[in-house]
Structure formats: structure tokens, C-alpha cells
Amino acid sequence: MDFDPQPLEKVPRHVAIIMDGNGRWAQERGLSRIEGHKEGAQSVRAALRAAKQAGIEFLTVYAFSTENWKRPPQEIDGLMKLLISSLNAYEQELHENKIRLRVMGQLERLPLPVRARIQKAIDATAAYTGHTFIIALSYGSRTEIAEAAKRITEKVQSGELKTEDIDEQAISDHLYLPDVPDPELMIRTSGELRLSNFLLWQLSYSEFYVTDTYWPDFREEQFFKALEAYNLRDRRYGAVKKK
Ligand code: IPE
Ligand code: IPE
Ligand code: MG
């Protein structure tokens, strides 16, 4: 790394990223969209390293949304292939750094070889406890919440859960990864000011950091800049600021 990150007073336990702008990055260079995604994959690697260095326990990246299934088949196919080749290239690094891989989303919609490859990496890293890397894949937050509602209803019908016990914690407990704490910080690259169906429930009180930088240009230095900005935030949770 060719820069010196400042020591941070507050380190978030969980950082979530909407990795956006791969297409525009490529277009500005006269490259194909998939070239942008490939360069973006290098930024994922940079984010993983930076998160580890900063002492962040959970890093979640939004890699493919339920809405992204609307993209041209050629781009979807390229993204799926890139996922497999990235896992082939980086799995070793997960082991070296003892990082556990997890995924969240409608995985049944993914092509079988992709699911199998991911499952292999999930199983191989399952015992690591210090750092977790979560890929939101074929992920949509409204679907996640609807599926939680379905499971809660089934439990009420079977008598496992009482209606009066359905509270905020019960909803959280039925989301895809109930044991993962909510992100303190959400980063979105490429300047878009929207959530695009990402972690609607979990981001209720998170700090948002939006940068115009396209995802392929978002590397360690930009990651630490986001953490520094987070350190200047005043989190009040609806209360009056303490003097
Ligand atoms: C983000 O980059 C990656 C995915 C959504 C898979 P985009 O592909 O959305 O890039 P832009 O927004 O078109 O620039
Ligand atoms: C959000 O980016 C999804 C991912 C980063 C995977 P999009 O590019 O799909 O979002 P919109 O279309 O700008 O809302
Ligand atoms: Mg986009």
C-alpha cells in the first residue's frame, strides 16, 4: 500500500458496500461492460484487504441484485463466469487471512456450477471466526423480508411462535443471516443516491457514505477515506446530543 492510513478512533464492526459504476468506468474507456466488472473484482480484493487491516469483522458487498436478472444474458453470463474465476483466484487469500465466506440471496436462481463453486468456498472457510466476507448475490431486500414473513407465519401456524412475540428482533431473526450485526456504515460508489433494494431493514440506522468514484477506482485509499468520514459522524439514534 502506497499510503499511510490514519489511526481510527471508531472502527465499524460491519461495513456494507453497493459496488456501482463498473459499466460507466468501462464506457469512459471504450471498453466492454464486462471489462469494468473485471476491474471491479480487483477492487473487491482491495476492500477485503483494507477491511482486514482496519479490523472490520464483517464486510458485505452487493454483487448482483434480484433486479440485475433483467440485464442482457451475455452480461449476466459474464458476471457468473467472473464470480467463478474470482473465487478460483482469491480463495487462497481467504485462507491466508482466515476469512469466512458467506452469501445471501435467492441462490436457487443461480446456475448450478456457480452455486457449487460458491458452496465449496463456503464450506472450506466455515471454521474461521474473526472476519467474515458476505456476498449479496441474486439478493433483494424486499424478497428477504417477504421470505422472513412467510417463515414467521409458518411458525405461528405450527404453534412454534406466538403472534404477540413478533417484534423487531423476531423479524431480524428470520432474515438470511440472523447472526450478523447490522452495518454501521454503508458505502455506495458512482454517486447514485438510492438503496436499490439493498438491506432495507438492516440499514435503518446506518451511516451512508456516497462517493462519485466508480467502483473499479475504489481501492484501499478510498476505503480508508470512507472510514475517516464515518469517524466524523455524530450518531444520535433519535436522542438529544450529549454535551
Ligand atoms: C455495478 O456496476 C455492478 C453490478 C450491478 C453487477 P454496474 O454494472 O451497475 O455499472 P453502471 O451503473 O452501469 O455504471
Ligand atoms: C445495485 O446497482 C446493485 C449492485 C451493485 C449489485 P445497480 O446498478 O443495479 O442499481 P441501479 O439500477 O442503479 O438502481
Ligand atoms: Mg449500476
Side-chain angles (χ1 to χ4, degrees):
M1 234 179 283
D2 52 3
F3 74 100
D4 228 358
Q6 297 300 305
L8 297 161
E9 201 182 313
K10 294 183 289 185
V11 176
R13 273 188 85 191
H14 185 179
V15 174
I17 309 180
I18 301 178
M19 313 185 287
D20 200 12
N22 294 351
R24 278 162 282 174
W25 181 92
Q27 195 179 15
E28 281 185 5
R29 287 160 180 79
L31 300 168
S32 67
R33 293 182 58 85
I34 200 70
E35 290 300 326
H37 296 313
K38 282 185 184 156
E39 197 58 32
Q42 296 298 325
S43 295
V44 176
R45 194 176 200 171
L48 256 175
R49 286 180 182 161
K52 172 98 205 277
Q53 194 191 343
I56 290 159
E57 279 174 69
F58 300 90
L59 177 70
T60 298
V61 298
Y62 201 7
F64 194 86
S65 70
T66 44
E67 289 71 29
N68 289 148
W69 288 113
K70 289 186 278 196
R71 293 196 179 194
Q74 200 189 341
E75 181 172 350
I76 295 176
D77 189 52
L79 281 165
M80 295 298 149
K81 290 200 169 101
L82 181 62
L83 198 69
I84 294 186
S85 61
S86 300
L87 276 175
N88 290 342
Y90 309 151
E91 191 178 329
Q92 189 53 34
E93 206 166 312
L94 294 180
H95 289 295
E96 283 163 14
N97 291 294
K98 296 197 169 12
I99 298 169
R100 177 180 179 191
L101 176 71
R102 298 179 79 177
V103 288
M104 66 194 309
Q106 289 189 309
L107 305 181
E108 62 280 4
R109 293 175 76 176
L110 297 170
L112 221 51
V114 177
R115 275 163 72 183
R117 181 63 190 88
I118 294 170
Q119 197 55 51
K120 198 171 144 239
I122 290 172
D123 294 342
T125 61
Y128 300 139
T129 53
H131 295 271
T132 303
F133 175 48
I134 300 160
I135 307 177
L137 197 58
S138 187
Y139 173 85
S141 187
R142 287 185 165 185
T143 298
E144 179 184 32
I145 293 168
E147 285 180 10
K150 210 185 292 175
R151 277 198 299 278
I152 288 171
T153 308
E154 283 163 0
K155 284 190 182 173
V156 170
Q157 281 168 346
S158 73
E160 201 182 319
L161 198 69
K162 292 199 213 69
T163 304
E164 54 268 35
D165 291 336
I166 303 173
D167 53 10
E168 293 186 11
Q169 190 58 47
I171 306 281
S172 293
D173 287 346
H174 290 82
L175 298 177
Y176 290 132
L177 304 176
D179 54 318
V180 173
D182 292 340
E184 290 90 345
L185 173 65
M186 190 284 286
I187 298 170
R188 182 165 189 153
T189 58
S190 91
E192 243 56 82
L193 299 173
R194 55 176 170 261
L195 279 177
S196 304
N197 205 8
F198 187 47
L199 303 176
L200 305 179
W201 177 273
Q202 298 90 329
L203 295 176
S204 286
Y205 248 111
S206 310
E207 295 296 324
F208 289 6
Y209 177 86
V210 176
T211 170
D212 286 337
T213 305
Y214 294 142
W215 178 249
D217 289 327
F218 192 92
R219 297 290 162 93
E220 280 98 334
E221 193 168 350
Q222 286 74 25
F223 191 97
F224 276 97
K225 226 176 109 189
L227 293 182
E228 282 164 26
Y230 169 78
N231 266 261
L232 299 175
R233 300 287 173 89
D234 182 15
R235 306 188 78 197
R236 290 190 288 278
Y237 300 102
V240 176
K241 193 181 175 198
K242 286 195 207 83
K243 288 265 159 55

